[in-house]
Amino acid sequence: MTRIPTVTQPIQDRLSPRKLADYKDYKQKLIRWLSKRGKNPERRKGYADGTIRNVTYHVDRFYRWKWDREEAYTIGILPEEADEYLDSLLLSEKDYSDTYVHTAQKSLKRVFKFWNYERGKNLDYDSEFSFSVSQNEPRDYLTREERQAIREASLEYGSVPAATSVSGEEYDRWTAYLAQRFEKPKEAITDADFVRANGWKIPSLVGTSLDTGLRPMG
């Protein structure tokens, strides 16, 4: 499985360190289950990476909505909340497409499946919403909003601060990170390695894949 971000940047910016650690632990378990057993638990068959990325993106958006509404942190989820969230998307001034909301709905159904199989719950999510989505669209179709989120994530992936903007212990931590990343001695790290780490290889690959419709295998 290729690297799938555990949490999106808005979540990292929002939660305190302790809550973020708790949420990351929850998401890591969810992602692991989706990749290994999510599609067919009995046959231990998981979902493709593209599907898991959709789930992790929409799950983060759902919890941000839930935390705003309840003004409290929680990882709990109830069927009625899921439909209330979908309703908020349909009524949003951002005018989300049916395809986008349908993808959010499918993602939440997979989360309920995780809770039922892995956490011993019996959450029956029979959504009141149904969507007419073209059957000719490819599996794991990415909406405009999701494509933008992936582009933004690719710009952040693996980025490091400029060498001239850090010093002392912080500079030492970044040089240790780059030494491990580039598999070279720590004392051999130079300003050029900081520049190299912020290169455009990943954003370019992601942009090309999105623009040409390339899809991961699996």
Side-chain angles (χ1 to χ4, degrees):
M1 183 176 71
T2 57
R3 184 182 184 278
I4 297 174
T6 305
V7 298
T8 52
Q9 192 63 44
I11 294 288
Q12 296 187 53
D13 294 339
R14 176 183 186 130
L15 295 179
S16 67
R18 183 171 294 179
K19 291 176 181 177
L20 181 59
D22 180 72
Y23 186 70
K24 279 185 175 180
D25 179 68
Y26 166 60
K27 286 292 295 297
Q28 286 168 352
K29 291 175 181 175
L30 171 63
I31 291 171
R32 189 179 305 115
W33 183 82
L34 290 169
S35 68
K36 301 297 183 182
R37 307 185 65 172
K39 191 170 187 178
N40 189 323
E42 287 75 19
R43 298 181 62 183
R44 298 181 183 275
K45 185 175 182 181
Y47 287 108
D49 289 354
T51 299
I52 299 173
R53 287 191 185 91
N54 274 342
V55 173
T56 194
Y57 166 75
H58 283 288
V59 166
D60 281 7
R61 288 212 57 173
F62 165 78
Y63 278 111
R64 283 160 49 203
W65 168 85
K66 179 179 171 72
W67 299 335
D68 282 340
R69 190 179 70 160
E70 298 185 358
E71 298 183 346
Y73 167 79
T74 175
I75 59 171
I77 181 172
L78 296 172
E80 56 267 29
E81 293 174 335
D83 267 2
E84 288 170 9
Y85 170 66
L86 297 181
D87 191 47
S88 74
L89 294 178
L90 292 169
L91 296 175
S92 172
E93 294 181 356
K94 293 184 178 180
D95 193 25
Y96 292 110
S97 66
D98 280 1
T99 300
Y100 181 86
V101 183
H102 179 57
T103 303
Q105 181 189 59
K106 290 194 298 182
S107 296
L108 292 174
K109 285 182 177 180
R110 287 160 181 154
V111 175
F112 282 113
K113 191 175 180 181
F114 163 76
W115 277 84
N116 289 340
Y117 274 91
E118 288 296 292
R119 303 214 164 191
K121 301 294 183 179
N122 185 25
L123 299 169
D124 183 18
Y125 179 40
D126 185 16
S127 178
E128 67 178 70
F129 296 102
S130 60
F131 302 94
S132 298
V133 179
S134 173
Q135 297 301 311
N136 294 324
E137 290 177 350
R139 289 177 59 202
D140 303 332
Y141 169 77
L142 293 173
T143 65
R144 180 180 65 256
E145 295 88 351
E146 291 162 344
R147 289 164 64 88
Q148 181 61 31
I150 290 174
R151 288 184 191 275
E152 292 174 358
S154 73
L155 294 174
E156 298 173 359
Y157 176 74
S159 62
V160 300
T164 56
S165 69
V166 291
S167 60
E169 292 184 1
E170 186 177 5
Y171 181 84
D172 189 65
R173 286 196 299 270
W174 282 112
T175 54
Y177 163 75
L178 292 175
Q180 183 178 27
R181 177 172 168 180
F182 295 140
E183 298 181 347
K184 59 192 298 186
K186 181 179 175 182
E187 56 271 15
I189 296 297
T190 67
D191 290 0
D193 292 302
F194 281 79
V195 175
R196 176 187 172 193
N198 290 325
W200 287 87
K201 179 180 179 180
I202 297 300
S204 296
L205 288 172
V206 170
T208 299
S209 297
L210 292 173
D211 293 340
T212 60
L214 298 177
R215 297 166 56 77
M217 299 298 291

